[in-house]
């Protein structure tokens, strides 16, 4: 059996025709920039997350850049963010001229460690960008109260967490600004790049909208340097078809996660991801990824030669000596047709692009540990029970017969 990490096949057999019709409507309308599809999507997305304003843009990365610029964060400013995330979170901070200050994560839920925030705040700190990584909402109550006490802004990186809730509220509605990505493999995916910024503040909404169109409050009048970062009309049309299906897809993701949690329970050398108990209705995991930790140094599998990423890492002084168990489990799974992905093999603070910041391989211990242990199992709404049982049976065999 072959189990892909992600597949659009079944989704296309269900809504492919509707998507084609939506794209055709845009082509026939001749309205390629802005227009009804974009307006409708922005309104429906704002309604679905429960926020006053949603502004479409080119990508999740642009959403972060627009948010930072709207808050007037730039040169000389510091922004606190986890290093265990996709590179774009930090890249956006650097690209507006500010400095990312990395904090470690909690091993339990892989999210920014709240207790380390106070250690890194300086007079230059302007904001925190917490990441709802893999779809798991971070404790926004704590983040917002810390931010208020310290006079900081909060930009939520919701790229992986559309649909997730903290204390009954959607991610992206409690911080000052929320940033969403509609990259195809996110919970709500377009057929290309797309993103959105959410806020309840009318002044911020206005600024974000202007910055996304060349800092232009009215035609050919530019008050500041902005970007060309609009939500494409064709992508908006696709998102308008998909948005009503998001609750169903989230239910399916949740069901898949609960089956993994049940079938993989109690295996030696394996840590399962954090989840909310059934009684905790006010918190909802978005399950964009189901990420296990392979912690057993005893699992060796057949081959222990490092994979490509660990070879690259060696040349940058990154100690990945503990990733062998994870890497060999991944290889053994692949031989059985089970495709897994490592999010993320190299922490952001040790990327060559951030060498100048001077972090070393013992700067953020938990982040480093996770990078050598995490493995993402296939999870997407259309994954079948049969496929899931196969994945779990193979993992069980590999770990128990080791
Ligand atoms: C995907 C992602 C982004 C960037 O979104 P794009 O739409 O790909 O630009 C930012 N942060 C995180 C955590 C992401 O997963």
């Amino acid at each position: 059996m072959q189990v892909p990490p992600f597949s659009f096949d079944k989704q296309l057999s269900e809504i492919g025709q509707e998507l084609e019709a939506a794209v055709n409507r845009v082509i026939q309308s001749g309205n390629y920039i802005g227009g009804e599809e974009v307006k409708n999507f922005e309104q429906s997305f704002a309604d679905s997350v429960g926020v006053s304003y949603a502004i479409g843009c080119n990508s999740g990365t642009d959403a972060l850049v627009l948010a930072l610029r709207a808050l007037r964060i730039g040169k000389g400013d510091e922004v606190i963010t986890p290093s265990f995330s996709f590179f774009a979170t930090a890249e956006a901070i650097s690209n507006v001229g500010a400095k990312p200050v990395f904090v470690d994560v909690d091993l339990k839920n892989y999210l920014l460690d709240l207790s380390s925030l106070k250690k890194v705040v300086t007079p230059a700190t302007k904001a925190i960008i917490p990441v709802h990584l893999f779809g798991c909402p971070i404790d926004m109550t704590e983040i917002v109260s810390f931010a208020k006490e310290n006079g900081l802004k909060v930009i939520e990186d919701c790229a992986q967490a559309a649909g997730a809730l903290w204390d009954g509220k959607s991610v992206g509605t409690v911080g000052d600004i929320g940033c969403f990505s509609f990259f195809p493999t996110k919970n709500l995916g377009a057929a290309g790049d797309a993103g959105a910024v959410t806020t309840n503040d009318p002044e911020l909404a206005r600024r974000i909208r202007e910055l996304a169109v060349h800092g232009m409050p009215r035609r050919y009048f530019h008050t500041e340097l902005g970007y060309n970062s609009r939500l494409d009309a064709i992508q908006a049309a696709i998102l308008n078809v998909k948005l009503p299906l998001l609750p169903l897809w989230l239910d399916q993701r949740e069901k898949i996660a609960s089956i993994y949690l049940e079938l993989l329970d109690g295996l030696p050398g394996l840590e399962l991801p954090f989840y909310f108990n059934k009684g905790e209705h006010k918190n909802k995991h978005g399950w964009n990824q189901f990420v296990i930790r392979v912690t057993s140094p005893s699992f060796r599998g057949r081959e222990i030669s490092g994979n490509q990423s660990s070879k690259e890492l060696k040349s940058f002084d990154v100690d990945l000596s503990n990733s062998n168990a994870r890497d060999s489990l991944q290889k053994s799974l692949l031989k059985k047709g089970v495709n897994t992905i490592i999010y993320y093999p190299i922490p952001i603070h040790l990327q060559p692009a951030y060498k100048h910041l001077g972090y070393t391989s013992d700067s953020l211990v938990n982040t480093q540990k996770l990078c050598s242990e995490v493995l993402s199992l296939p999870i997407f709404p259309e994954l079948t029970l049969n496929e899931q049982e196969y994945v779990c049976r193979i993992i069980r065999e590999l770990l128990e017969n080791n």
Side-chain angles (χ1 to χ4, degrees):
M1 188 187 286
Q2 283 290 326
V3 187
F6 194 91
S7 165
F8 293 108
D9 294 355
K10 287 169 214 148
Q11 189 190 95
L12 285 175
S13 72
E14 282 161 21
I15 58 166
Q17 283 185 336
E18 233 184 302
L19 294 175
E20 279 175 32
V23 170
N24 272 326
R25 267 201 310 278
V26 175
I27 294 174
Q28 296 306 326
S29 77
N31 287 327
Y32 303 145
I33 302 289
E36 285 304 301
E37 296 283 357
V38 173
K39 222 166 134 188
N40 291 345
F41 175 72
E42 288 180 335
Q43 189 58 57
S44 335
F45 189 67
D47 293 345
S48 86
V49 296
V51 74
S52 309
Y53 307 94
I55 301 105
C57 64
N58 227 338
S59 68
T61 307
D62 280 6
L64 290 162
V65 169
L66 291 167
L68 288 157
R69 285 286 312 276
L71 291 168
R72 301 183 194 278
I73 291 168
K75 206 162 183 308
D77 297 333
E78 294 179 2
V79 179
I80 302 171
T81 196
S83 169
F84 192 59
S85 179
F86 177 56
F87 189 69
T89 316
E91 190 183 32
I93 298 169
S94 301
N95 277 340
V96 302
K99 179 180 163 192
V101 174
F102 298 111
V103 285
D104 214 350
V105 286
D106 190 330
L107 282 180
K108 179 189 71 179
N109 57 13
Y110 316 148
L111 305 175
L112 182 151
D113 175 16
L114 297 160
S115 68
S116 58
L117 283 174
K118 54 179 173 295
K119 289 179 237 161
V120 293
V121 174
T122 73
T125 311
K126 290 284 149 47
I128 310 171
I129 306 190
V131 181
H132 304 294
L133 196 68
F134 306 139
C136 188
I138 196 165
D139 184 336
M140 285 306 295
T141 323
E142 288 274 328
I143 296 256
V144 167
S145 90
F146 180 87
K148 284 223 169 90
E149 274 164 33
N150 292 275
L152 307 177
K153 300 292 182 188
V154 177
I155 299 171
E156 297 177 61
D157 184 337
C158 309
Q160 302 184 4
L165 306 178
W166 177 262
D167 194 25
K169 297 185 199 82
S170 167
V171 295
T173 65
V174 180
D176 296 277
I177 304 184
C179 299
F180 290 83
S181 164
F182 307 121
F183 185 84
T185 58
K186 307 286 163 104
N187 286 355
L188 176 64
D193 280 309
V197 190
T198 55
T199 183
N200 283 311
D201 182 327
E203 178 54 22
L204 284 176
R206 185 191 61 76
R207 253 182 83 68
I208 291 161
R209 206 172 271 296
E210 287 176 13
L211 285 164
V213 189
H214 309 290
M216 184 171 75
R218 52 173 210 270
R219 190 168 278 200
Y220 307 133
F221 176 71
H222 306 267
T223 50
E224 61 188 314
L225 301 179
Y227 308 87
N228 176 0
S229 184
R230 290 175 282 237
L231 173 61
D232 190 89
I234 288 182
Q235 298 305 337
I238 283 174
L239 291 166
N240 279 328
V241 173
K242 290 190 171 193
L243 182 60
L245 294 164
L246 181 60
L248 168 72
W249 289 338
L250 287 166
D251 285 350
Q252 288 166 328
R253 285 180 180 275
E254 192 159 42
K255 184 152 181 243
I256 290 164
S258 70
I259 292 170
Y260 272 139
L261 288 167
E262 190 187 315
L263 296 182
L264 296 174
D265 187 37
L267 278 178
L270 208 70
E271 294 279 339
L272 297 176
F274 172 82
Y275 62 95
F276 296 109
N277 289 312
K278 286 240 174 339
E280 293 178 79
H281 293 304
K282 290 187 133 194
N283 297 332
K284 185 177 169 60
H285 199 308
W287 292 114
N288 184 244
Q289 297 298 334
F290 189 91
V291 181
I292 59 171
R293 284 167 60 199
V294 186
T295 55
S296 169
S298 69
F299 179 78
R300 295 210 176 76
R302 301 279 174 282
E303 296 165 66
I304 44 172
S305 61
N307 63 11
Q308 188 53 35
S309 70
S310 46
K311 275 185 213 125
E312 282 164 17
L313 283 181
K314 289 227 170 67
S315 61
F316 288 103
D317 283 341
V318 183
D319 177 16
L320 262 195
S321 50
N322 293 324
S323 68
N324 283 340
R326 186 269 314 277
D327 293 350
S328 47
L329 179 63
Q330 184 183 38
K331 273 190 187 162
S332 307
L333 283 168
L334 188 59
K335 281 190 190 141
K336 300 281 186 184
V338 178
N339 291 264
T340 58
I341 299 181
I342 297 167
Y343 298 111
Y344 296 90
I346 311 177
I348 302 177
H349 68 288
L350 297 179
Q351 292 286 350
Y354 280 124
K355 214 176 162 77
H356 61 282
L357 293 181
Y359 289 93
T360 63
S361 56
D362 44 32
S363 302
L364 304 169
V365 182
N366 290 349
T367 298
Q368 182 90 24
K369 188 171 165 63
L370 286 178
C371 287
S372 64
E373 292 181 348
V374 288
L375 191 63
S376 301
L377 303 184
I379 186 166
F380 52 96
E382 300 81 8
L383 185 71
T384 65
L385 179 59
N386 198 20
E387 289 169 319
Q388 247 201 304
E389 284 174 342
Y390 176 75
V391 172
C392 294
R393 194 175 76 239
I394 300 295
I395 293 178
R396 187 168 284 278
E397 278 171 18
L398 287 167
L399 289 175
E400 283 179 345
N401 299 336
N402 171 51

